[in-house]
Amino acid sequence: MVQDRERHWGVVAAAGAGVIAVCYGFARYAFGLFEPRFSGDFHLSGTGVGILGGLSTLGYGIGLLVAPRLAVRSARRTTVLAGALAAAGVALMAASGSVVLFGVGTVIAGSSAGLASPGVAQLVGERVGEGERSRAQTWANTGTSFGLAASAFLPLAVWSWRWTWAGFAVVAVVVTVVAGTLVGRSADRPRETAAQGSRWPDGATRLVASSVILGAASAPYWNFSPARLSDAGISTVLASLCWCAIGLAGPIGGMAGRLAERRGLRWTVVCVWLVWTAGMALLALPRPVFPVALLSAVLFGIAYMGLTGLCILWAGRLFEDVSRGVTLSFLGLAAGQTAASPVAGALGDAVGLGPVFGGAALASLVALLLLPREEARVAVG
């Protein structure tokens, strides 16, 4: 049984996007942007940075594991909890006096993102009509972009990064309260789940495998793209502009949902994945100049937001319980990022970051063999 659709899809999408913005844009992915400052304060090598990035993804995976049960009971409370954990995690990182405490904060902050994606997906599935659901899912998913754009130039500030991260915590609290108010308490009514919700559908293995590859290939970009630009001689200001471009271009990826409705999921995934691979490959050039780096950021922002949104749609077409499908997909994403982050850091120390990005681009092409089948049914939940 689907709940009453008492909220316009844009309101639900906006509330979800706000929470995803703080959970992903601040609590999860801003780590890579501030990596030079963290490395200096805590005396970290590339391997150490990769381990911390892996800890963040570990927290992400923990959040994903507990999200389905919480989201089915109350999608609204799960979404609000995600925002609260984002605030707590970044606050602890800001206050940490040791790398151990900082690592604990990254785990908590990462767990917020793990709760956010299934929680918001479940919320949209319950509160938005079927005709608008694809748009609402993909637009809510682009909230990451707004968080990235908002944080892009903050590493240039003269004050300590700790003040910036304390500010992230304050913003996360405000956004979470507003989102919970916009959605309304009526979303707390539990819904009945379909009898087939626990079945492993045909095509689910392809979805999870594609998500693993997407996670592994994205790990170098999120953790080491600022360092790669620095190695290429690009200034910190221009590198921040590239990071901002990821965020500003990301909402274009929100159009993937409408494109999938018109041209089909398989065709859309192929096109967006090729854009993604091109964006990665540009940073593998021997010495990417600023225009090339900027183009890479734009392509990466569009494609990453588009592909993660398409994974949500793909999961929704395979699983009756949309939160379970999204959780499995994003667990694959987390597993890929967790494994690849320290490996990318170690390889970067050994052979340089250029070959690391080249390898990531080549590896991502493997996912083209795992595309969704168009005959996958459309979920009713």
Side-chain angles (χ1 to χ4, degrees):
M1 178 179 68
V2 179
Q3 291 183 354
D4 296 335
R5 315 298 184 184
E6 64 265 38
R7 290 290 188 276
H8 184 273
W9 76 266
V11 175
V12 179
V19 173
I20 285 178
V22 298
C23 292
Y24 281 88
F26 292 171
R28 182 151 165 74
Y29 290 137
F31 176 90
L33 187 60
F34 285 79
E35 178 268 325
R37 291 199 178 193
F38 298 153
S39 297
D41 280 11
F42 295 113
H43 309 291
L44 300 173
S45 64
T47 303
V49 172
I51 291 173
L52 285 175
L55 285 175
S56 175
T57 309
L58 174 64
Y60 181 53
I62 293 172
L64 285 168
L65 287 172
V66 302
R69 186 176 296 274
L70 294 177
V72 169
R73 290 179 177 177
S74 174
R76 176 183 178 272
R77 289 178 183 173
T78 304
T79 302
V80 170
L81 178 60
L85 287 174
V90 297
L92 182 58
M93 293 169 73
S96 62
S98 68
V99 70
V100 174
L101 193 60
F102 185 86
V104 173
T106 63
V107 173
I108 296 173
S111 70
S112 72
L115 287 177
S117 291
V120 170
Q122 186 76 26
L123 192 65
V124 171
E126 293 176 357
R127 303 298 296 278
V128 176
E130 186 173 344
E132 297 82 22
R133 198 172 300 154
S134 293
R135 280 181 289 170
Q137 293 284 22
T138 50
W139 281 112
N141 185 63
T142 61
T144 303
S145 299
F146 301 108
L148 293 174
S151 65
F153 292 98
L154 291 176
L156 303 178
V158 296
W159 57 77
S160 169
W161 64 266
R162 296 180 186 276
W163 286 108
T164 299
W165 283 67
F168 286 167
V170 173
V171 173
V173 170
V174 173
V175 167
T176 301
V177 171
V178 171
T181 302
L182 283 176
V183 171
R185 293 187 178 276
S186 58
D188 288 341
R189 297 195 305 270
R191 72 179 181 94
E192 298 175 5
T193 56
Q196 294 181 346
S198 60
R199 182 176 64 86
W200 186 259
D202 293 339
T205 301
R206 288 171 172 263
L207 169 64
V208 174
S210 295
S211 300
V212 171
I213 295 172
L214 178 62
S218 68
Y221 215 106
W222 289 123
N223 290 308
F224 299 107
S225 60
R228 172 61 180 148
L229 300 187
S230 177
D231 291 346
I234 296 174
S235 70
T236 304
V237 173
L238 294 180
S240 295
L241 184 59
C242 289
W243 193 270
C244 184
I246 296 175
L248 293 178
I252 300 175
M255 299 172 63
R258 174 58 65 88
L259 191 60
E261 290 176 350
R262 294 182 176 180
R263 298 299 301 270
L265 183 61
R266 182 184 179 90
W267 184 91
T268 305
V269 170
V270 170
C271 292
V272 179
W273 210 288
L274 291 175
V275 171
W276 152 269
T277 303
M280 297 288 294
L282 287 174
L283 288 194
L285 296 175
R287 191 175 179 84
V289 294
F290 171 68
V292 171
L294 184 62
L295 177 60
S296 170
V298 169
L299 295 179
F300 180 85
I302 293 171
Y304 187 82
M305 301 309 160
L307 287 173
T308 50
L310 290 170
C311 283
I312 293 172
L313 298 186
W314 188 358
R317 295 186 179 192
L318 293 173
F319 291 86
E320 295 283 359
D321 184 353
V322 63
S323 66
R324 179 170 179 258
V326 172
T327 294
L328 288 170
S329 174
F330 280 60
L331 273 173
L333 191 75
Q337 289 180 335
T338 300
S341 291
V343 172
L347 287 175
D349 287 340
V351 300
L353 289 173
V356 171
F357 279 93
L362 289 174
S364 69
L365 290 176
V366 176
L368 292 176
L369 303 174
L370 302 168
L371 298 176
R373 295 190 176 100
E374 293 299 340
E375 62 266 23
R377 63 168 175 77
V378 178
V380 298

